[in-house]
Structure formats: structure tokens, C-alpha cells
Amino acid sequence: MRPNRFYNVIRIGPVQVGTRNDGQGRTKHTAACTAPGCGFSADYNDRSAAELAATTHRCTPGKR
């Protein structure tokens, strides 16, 4: 599988959680908010941590 190609993508509120393989062959899980102006995103080593971040994320759109 190519790096940065997301699979197993789910949406929890405004946050999408997806799994990808990085260039070193490791599996990474990313949580990213899709609300306009939010800018939240983070990489995690396990899926449960990414899903927890998506569940507890409180969006503050427009705050910079």
C-alpha cells in the first residue's frame, strides 16, 4: 500500500479518523477535524487513541 493513502476511515462528529501506512512501513492513525477554520489534526500510534481524540475534541472554528 502506498504511503498517505487512508483506509478504514470513520467520522465522529466533525472529526474524521483514518489509518495509513507511512513511508517506513509503520501503521499510523490520524484524527482531523473537517470544520472550516478549525485546523485540528494529530497522528497516533494506535487507533483507540485517535478515536478518543476525535470523541473528546471540542471545535473552536475561526480561532487562530
Side-chain angles (χ1 to χ4, degrees):
M1 191 168 283
R2 291 155 90 196
N4 297 326
R5 189 63 63 106
F6 290 93
Y7 58 95
N8 197 15
V9 177
I10 63 168
R11 182 186 270 300
I12 301 173
V15 181
Q16 285 188 334
V17 177
T19 303
R20 66 181 174 86
N21 293 324
D22 68 3
Q24 310 295 355
R26 296 176 297 230
T27 301
K28 296 288 184 175
H29 308 278
T30 302
C33 186
T34 59
C38 180
F40 167 77
S41 69
D43 285 334
Y44 299 94
N45 289 327
D46 60 27
R47 179 81 182 195
S48 61
E51 290 182 7
L52 178 64
T55 303
T56 59
H57 173 66
R58 295 294 172 252
C59 193
T60 53
K63 185 178 178 184
R64 295 194 186 250

